């Protein structure tokens, strides 16, 4: 294997265990995990997580650690026990490539095998459903940013079919992050495609799963975004400060990810879309790369929008990003880490002001689902040590005072995205945090349980698996 420019062998030696995040888990699982500590008997239910489980076929390896065929992981928690299950999401792409024992389709970081002719038009793309998973009307819905989400049976984890959202489209593509209004139960989904980046679809289903509204808009410029904000009356889309060379991707010269160029000089744009159908408007914002929003709400004549923003996406974009180097067995240091930022959008003057809430390295935020789109007090995030792109801590951040209730794991341990679980009968922000953790020394993954109100005290229990789990960003 040839090192890319900038690969650092000494960094590779020091943190080689991190490469487990990019190591496939080919065997599907079903067993009762070893429980350590005391799991509360009133904590019952199933945690579902999604992420890539397979990174190579036929001698071809994916170029980015977040790019691979989706695998659902389920932790069934009951009476102080934890049963672990995992299954691949059997998309059309997965089934065809499994039968052929090779890759056939392009993904966002990797071109389809076969050269330019096989990649014209952006390549033959099919969803690998590896990004997120949500529970909706008794179904698991697994999202990619290509095509429709795939539906799975939450009891068996068997893949059933594609799940139709909104009116049929010749080129359906939906953002993997969605929002549910805690008051109305409305489900908000945005559609946006790499090849048609100026077109935005805004779809709303009611609590019963029936289509409520659907509209199409034209964005002010080509950009890339993964997440968005929603308040009671508005949707806000933050367009990152990037240029997309759609021509190179359309001609088959580069995968979509390589066609995205960071250009901070053009700044970000916040597109404010009224839910009542009024015309949207756009406001300029300082440059930052946002992968994940935290929450947003209305306060007087302002929209308050909180998110994790990076000064530069150098860990993802460019010729040799850290998320690509790890797939070659090299663990690179990074200079940039995500800061907790706040946009204040004045609805009268249509101007935006940015504030920095916390400069510590953060990613993968979440809040109490009952506070989505509403005023809230606490955010829960993963944290990273300086120079590291993987996360190794968990924090409860007071969004009013800035106070931090934080826990940091060992230097050979990762802590992933926290999932907040409300305590039955409890008040706002009373509950538990479930966090996946890779132990680099033992080579196994555990599910850690924190008291959400006392994060610094550390995990109170864990369910230890028999193996590692690859990279994962989101759960439900």
């Amino acid at each position: 294997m040839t090192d890319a420019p900038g690969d650092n062998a000494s960094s590779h030696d020091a943190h080689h265990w991190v490469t487990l995040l990019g190591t496939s888990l080919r065997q599907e699982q079903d067993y009762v995990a070893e429980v350590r500590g005391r799991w509360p008997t009133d904590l019952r239910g199933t945690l579902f997580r999604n992420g890539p489980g397979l990174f190579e076929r036929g001698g071809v390896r994916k170029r980015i650690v977040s790019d691979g065929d989706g695998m659902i992981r389920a932790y069934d928690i009951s009476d102080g026990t934890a049963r672990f299950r995992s299954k691949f999401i059997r998309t059309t792409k997965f089934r065809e490539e499994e039968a052929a024992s090779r890759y056939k389709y392009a993904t966002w970081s990797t071109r389809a095998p076969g050269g330019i002719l096989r990649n014209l038009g952006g390549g033959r793309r099919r969803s690998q459903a590896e990004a997120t998973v949500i529970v909706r009307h008794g179904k698991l819905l697994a999202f990619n940013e290509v095509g429709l989400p795939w539906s799975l049976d939450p009891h068996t984890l068997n893949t059933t079919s594609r799940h139709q959202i909104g009116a049929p489209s010749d080129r359906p593509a939906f953002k993997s992050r969605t929002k549910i209004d805690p008051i109305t139960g409305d489900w908000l989904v945005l559609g946006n495609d790499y090849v048609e980046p100026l077109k935005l679809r805004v779809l709303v289903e009611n609590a019963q799963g029936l289509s409520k509204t659907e509209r199409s808009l034209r964005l002010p410029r080509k950009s890339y975004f993964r997440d968005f904000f929603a308040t009671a009356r508005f949707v806000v889309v933050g367009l990152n400060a990037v240029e997309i060379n759609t021509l190179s991707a359309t001609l088959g010269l580069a995968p979509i990810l390589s066609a995205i160029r960071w250009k901070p000089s053009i700044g970000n744009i916040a597109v404010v879309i009224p839910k009542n159908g009024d015309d949207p408007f756009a406001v300029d914002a300082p440059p930052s790369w946002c992968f994940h929003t935290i929450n947003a709400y209305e306060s007087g004549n302002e929209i308050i929008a909180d998110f994790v923003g990076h000064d530069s996406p150098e860990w993802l974009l460019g010729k040799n990003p850290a998320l690509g180097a790890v797939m070659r067995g090299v663990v690179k240091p990074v200079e940039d880490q995500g800061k907790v930022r706040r946009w204040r959008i004045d609805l009268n003057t249509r101007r935006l002001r940015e504030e920095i809430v916390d400069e510590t390295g953060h990613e993968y935020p979440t809040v109490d689902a009952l506070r989505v789109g509403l005023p809230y007090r606490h955010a829960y995030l993963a944290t990273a040590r300086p120079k590291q792109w993987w996360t190794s801590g968990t924090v409860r951040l007071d969004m009013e005072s800035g106070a931090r209730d934080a826990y940091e794991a060992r230097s050979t341990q990762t802590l992933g995205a926290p999932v907040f679980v409300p305590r039955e009968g409890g008040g706002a922000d009373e509950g538990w945090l479930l966090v996946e953790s890779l132990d680099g020394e033992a080579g196994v993954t555990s599910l850690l349980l924190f008291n959400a109100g006392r994060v610094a005290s550390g995990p109170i229990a864990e369910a230890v698996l028999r193996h590692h789990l690859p990279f994962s960003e989101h759960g439900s």
Side-chain angles (χ1 to χ4, degrees):
M1 183 180 299
T2 302
D3 289 348
D7 281 350
N8 187 318
S10 62
S11 176
H12 176 190
D13 294 339
H15 299 290
H16 186 262
W17 60 271
V18 177
T19 62
L20 283 171
L21 295 175
T23 301
S24 298
L25 182 67
R26 294 179 176 272
Q27 185 68 40
E28 297 177 334
Q29 307 289 334
D30 188 345
Y31 60 87
V32 176
E34 176 191 351
V35 170
R36 298 175 184 172
R38 184 182 295 274
W39 284 75
T41 56
D42 60 346
L43 181 62
R44 297 171 178 267
T46 301
L47 170 67
F48 298 101
R49 294 195 62 85
N50 193 4
L54 183 67
F55 298 103
E56 59 276 314
R57 287 189 191 274
V60 176
R61 185 160 165 79
K62 295 297 185 182
R63 296 178 62 243
I64 292 289
V65 72
S66 57
D67 188 358
D69 288 293
M71 172 179 275
I72 293 293
R73 314 143 180 212
Y75 298 86
D76 302 314
I77 301 169
S78 177
D79 298 323
T81 66
R83 173 191 175 196
F84 178 76
R85 297 175 291 146
S86 66
K87 276 192 178 181
F88 282 105
I89 304 168
R90 283 166 167 75
T91 63
T92 300
K93 172 185 179 295
F94 182 90
R95 295 193 307 270
E96 291 187 10
E97 293 177 339
E98 183 84 346
S101 298
R102 62 181 177 84
Y103 286 128
K104 298 175 63 177
Y105 297 103
T107 56
W108 77 308
S109 79
T110 308
R111 299 164 70 210
I116 291 177
L117 291 179
R118 288 296 301 274
N119 287 274
L120 287 173
R124 300 173 62 203
R125 297 182 299 152
R126 296 289 186 274
S127 172
Q128 51 191 2
E130 88 297 351
T132 60
V133 61
I134 67 166
V135 182
R136 184 76 175 162
H137 296 297
K139 300 178 181 178
L140 288 181
L141 301 181
F143 282 78
N144 181 241
E145 293 190 335
V146 176
L148 296 168
W150 281 82
S151 176
L152 295 88
D153 184 319
H155 303 292
T156 64
L157 303 186
N158 290 335
T159 306
T160 56
S161 63
R162 294 183 182 91
H163 181 82
Q164 183 65 47
I165 300 176
S169 169
D170 292 337
R171 199 179 186 103
F174 296 96
K175 289 298 171 182
S176 57
R177 302 281 281 173
T178 67
K179 311 291 181 188
I180 296 179
D181 188 309
I183 296 176
T184 66
D186 287 351
W187 185 39
L188 180 61
V189 184
L190 299 191
N192 182 249
D193 185 69
Y194 300 121
V195 180
E196 298 177 298
L198 291 175
K199 181 180 179 181
L200 178 70
R201 297 172 68 194
V202 182
L203 304 95
V204 180
E205 285 187 1
N206 65 18
Q208 291 72 44
L210 302 176
S211 180
K212 186 174 180 179
T213 61
E214 180 173 346
R215 62 189 296 201
S216 292
L217 307 168
R218 184 175 176 84
L219 294 172
R221 76 172 183 220
K222 297 178 182 179
S223 185
Y224 173 80
F225 69 96
R226 171 166 287 193
D227 206 348
F228 62 95
F229 305 95
T231 71
R233 296 184 298 149
F234 298 94
V235 176
V236 180
V237 176
L239 302 180
N240 289 315
V242 299
E243 289 184 338
I244 301 180
N245 185 354
T246 52
L247 182 61
S248 67
T250 301
L251 292 178
L253 300 176
I256 293 295
L257 188 63
S258 297
I260 301 174
R261 294 285 186 269
W262 176 241
K263 193 173 182 181
S265 62
I266 64 176
N268 284 20
I269 295 176
V271 182
V272 181
I273 306 167
K275 290 183 178 180
N276 65 5
D278 287 351
D279 290 339
F281 64 89
V283 294
D284 292 333
S288 66
W289 175 272
C290 172
F291 237 14
H292 301 108
T293 65
I294 300 175
N295 198 17
Y297 59 94
E298 297 163 40
S299 177
N301 68 336
E302 284 188 324
I303 295 175
I304 310 297
D306 299 332
F307 64 102
V308 175
H310 297 254
D311 290 332
S312 164
E314 43 114 0
W315 41 272
L316 176 67
L317 302 182
K319 293 183 178 180
N320 186 29
L323 295 192
V326 72
M327 302 301 283
R328 301 187 302 275
V330 177
V331 182
K332 289 185 59 179
V334 295
E335 297 300 324
D336 175 76
Q337 293 180 314
K339 302 173 183 176
V340 176
R341 304 173 191 245
R342 170 168 290 167
W343 282 347
R344 293 185 176 271
I345 303 173
D346 191 307
L347 295 171
N348 294 333
T349 64
R350 297 191 174 183
R351 292 188 176 182
L352 180 151
R353 177 165 54 92
E354 182 178 282
E355 301 170 354
I356 304 298
V357 179
D358 194 304
E359 293 193 354
T360 309
H362 298 85
E363 253 304 345
Y364 315 128
T366 192
V367 299
D368 184 340
L370 295 179
R371 306 308 304 169
V372 171
L374 301 171
Y376 72 113
R377 182 69 181 268
H378 295 109
Y380 306 93
L381 306 98
T383 61
R385 290 183 170 91
K387 305 289 187 179
Q388 295 180 357
W389 57 264
W390 63 95
T391 52
S392 55
T394 302
V395 65
R396 180 182 66 157
L397 181 62
D398 190 317
M399 299 300 291
E400 295 180 7
S401 69
R404 296 171 56 83
D405 177 19
Y407 172 82
E408 189 169 275
R410 303 188 310 274
S411 61
T412 55
Q413 187 179 5
T414 69
L415 267 66
V419 175
F420 179 84
V421 181
R423 189 192 304 271
E424 186 175 356
D429 289 309
E430 291 186 10
W432 317 98
L433 295 179
L434 294 173
V435 181
E436 275 188 343
S437 173
L438 171 65
D439 183 332
E441 293 179 346
V444 299
T445 295
S446 297
L447 181 67
L448 307 184
L449 175 68
F450 291 81
N451 183 325
R454 296 194 294 272
V455 175
S457 298
I460 60 177
E462 62 180 314
V464 184
L465 304 186
R466 302 170 182 173
H467 46 77
H468 86 288
L469 290 176
F471 182 80
S472 171
E473 291 184 325
H474 301 297
S476 176

